[in-house]
Amino acid sequence: MGASNNSNEEGKRLPNLVTKALRDFASHFPLNLREHFEQFNFKSSKKNDHLTTSEFPLRSNKELSAVELSLEKQMDAWKHNPLWVDHPPDIKVTIPKGSLSNLLLKADVGLPPDAVYNIVTDPDNKRVFKNIKEVISRKVVVDEGLRQVVEVEQAAIWRFLWLSGTITVRVLVDQNREDHTVKFKQIKSGFMEKFEGCWKVEPLFVDEELCHPFKPKSVMEYACCSKGRGRIGSKLTLEQLIQPAIVPPPPISWYLRGITTKTTEMLFDDLLTEAARIREVTRTNVSDEKSGEGAACNIKERWAMRRKNTRRCRRRLFES
């Protein structure tokens, strides 16, 4: 019985200790970030005071970082400030022994990681990527919610200089929303012995100066110190290895390497075009909302003026 009372007393003291620790921790943050934390009222949890699945769906800890900003909320910042300048990607091509090329592309995209991930993994992304001539087949092999493994066969278009053609590839795609990665690997080898690579999308804090002098290290910290006004972009990385069954000698190998690089550039240009289209749609929607509000205000003003003029006319009639 005594042991039970001790455990109850320890249980009562624990929330207070946690609360004190949280407040001490928050006191080390810059003032603007600390003010945001103070909006939350840390109270001792009651026995049955817990979150239900209807309030927060069961998700991984990473999804709930900062009660993870939804894509809609992240796009709100882009609605009010859609200004963005695209820059050419940084492309490096190396030639590992026995391979045709190992391509590494790095670039910034003016959309949040979830939006970029949605473009890359969209089953209907043929409308975005012009080098996809036809999706011959698509089969979901594994579906774990945030992670899917998909078997895809598609005909791709290649262009280099004045020449063009098509090539059919069958790949296994492992796409994981939790870390925003898309890994692909050729299933059946033919002319290509190896065709594999990985897309990776990481957050880019576009308006980091709003947090000065604090330097955010996570989306949660960035949202707090920018008070939700900071735009989140994407740092995109694409690594791709191509190894034919027989590595051709120069100048044929140079020609094939040029095709690979040009096709990847086309892929990235299409991605930037789609990102610009989404930003424009977002901006247009905000303009429409504002013009609608303006029209509503004008109608109210006209009715107010009409009532005022009516009252004036009535006074004149009575005075006369």
Side-chain angles (χ1 to χ4, degrees):
M1 193 68 181
S4 176
N5 290 335
N6 290 336
S7 63
N8 288 337
E9 290 176 4
E10 289 176 2
K12 291 177 181 177
R13 286 198 300 269
L14 182 60
N16 294 330
L17 293 174
V18 173
T19 302
K20 186 177 183 302
L22 284 169
R23 283 176 176 156
D24 290 343
F25 173 71
S27 68
H28 295 290
F29 284 98
L31 183 60
N32 59 346
L33 185 58
R34 201 184 314 154
E35 288 173 353
H36 187 89
F37 270 96
E38 287 172 357
Q39 295 174 12
F40 299 94
N41 187 17
F42 297 108
K43 294 181 180 180
S44 303
S45 299
K46 297 179 183 178
K47 186 176 180 180
N48 295 322
D49 185 18
H50 58 82
L51 294 175
T52 63
T53 52
S54 61
E55 291 173 282
F56 283 102
L58 294 174
R59 296 183 181 177
S60 66
N61 290 334
K62 184 164 185 177
E63 277 187 291
L64 291 175
S65 63
V67 189
E68 187 79 344
L69 293 175
S70 68
L71 179 57
E72 185 180 355
K73 287 184 178 179
Q74 291 179 41
M75 289 304 296
D76 280 343
W78 285 99
K79 286 180 182 178
H80 301 291
N81 184 9
L83 185 63
W84 174 265
V85 178
D86 288 319
H87 297 285
D90 178 23
I91 301 179
K92 292 181 181 179
V93 180
T94 56
I95 309 169
K97 188 176 180 181
S99 296
L100 178 67
S101 69
N102 187 14
L103 184 144
L104 178 64
L105 178 148
K106 291 185 177 181
D108 296 338
V109 183
L111 280 181
D114 262 325
V116 175
Y117 180 88
N118 288 344
I119 295 171
V120 175
T121 60
D122 183 3
D124 191 32
N125 60 13
K126 174 189 169 184
R127 65 178 182 79
V128 175
F129 300 113
K130 304 299 185 292
N131 70 319
I132 300 177
K133 182 180 181 182
E134 179 187 5
V135 177
I136 300 167
S137 65
R138 186 180 187 277
K139 179 184 177 183
V140 178
V141 181
V142 177
D143 190 348
E144 297 175 350
L146 292 178
R147 176 177 173 263
Q148 279 190 335
V149 178
V150 186
E151 187 178 318
V152 181
E153 184 176 5
Q154 61 187 27
I157 302 170
W158 60 264
R159 290 188 181 91
F160 184 65
L161 300 179
W162 61 89
L163 300 173
S164 64
T166 59
I167 183 172
T168 302
V169 290
R170 190 178 176 190
V171 292
L172 202 62
V173 183
D174 187 340
Q175 49 196 48
N176 193 335
R177 187 177 291 275
E178 189 171 0
D179 59 4
H180 295 108
T181 58
V182 180
K183 300 173 185 176
F184 57 91
K185 187 174 184 179
Q186 183 174 263
I187 300 173
K188 189 178 179 181
S189 59
F191 168 71
M192 303 300 295
E193 181 68 27
K194 274 188 181 180
F195 174 64
E196 58 190 47
C198 177
W199 293 82
K200 186 175 183 180
V201 192
E202 298 173 286
L204 171 68
F205 304 143
V206 180
D207 302 311
E208 193 174 330
E209 67 276 3
L210 294 174
C211 296
H212 184 77
F214 181 65
K215 191 170 180 66
K217 295 180 180 179
S218 68
V219 173
M220 179 182 184
E221 291 180 358
Y222 180 60
C224 289
C225 65
S226 68
K227 297 181 180 177
R229 292 183 290 114
R231 293 169 297 166
I232 300 175
S234 296
K235 290 187 285 186
L236 178 69
T237 304
L238 170 61
E239 190 165 7
Q240 182 175 276
L241 175 68
I242 296 178
Q243 180 180 322
I246 300 174
V247 180
I252 299 174
S253 60
W254 303 340
Y255 178 75
L256 293 176
R257 205 169 290 125
I259 291 175
T260 303
T261 306
K262 184 63 179 176
T263 302
T264 306
E265 287 176 348
M266 288 168 55
L267 202 70
F268 181 71
D269 287 343
D270 290 340
L271 178 62
L272 290 184
T273 302
E274 177 65 5
R277 185 192 69 81
I278 292 172
R279 287 196 306 273
E280 178 62 24
V281 168
T282 302
R283 185 188 66 80
T284 304
N285 288 342
V286 172
S287 299
D288 290 345
E289 287 175 8
K290 288 181 178 178
S291 62
E293 290 173 3
C297 290
N298 290 335
I299 291 170
K300 288 179 181 178
E301 288 173 3
R302 287 200 298 271
W303 274 103
M305 185 64 68
R306 185 174 177 179
R307 286 195 298 271
K308 190 175 181 180
N309 291 336
T310 302
R311 284 195 296 270
R312 283 179 180 172
C313 290
R314 285 174 180 171
R315 279 200 211 103
R316 287 173 186 169
L317 287 171
F318 284 127
E319 286 172 1
S320 60

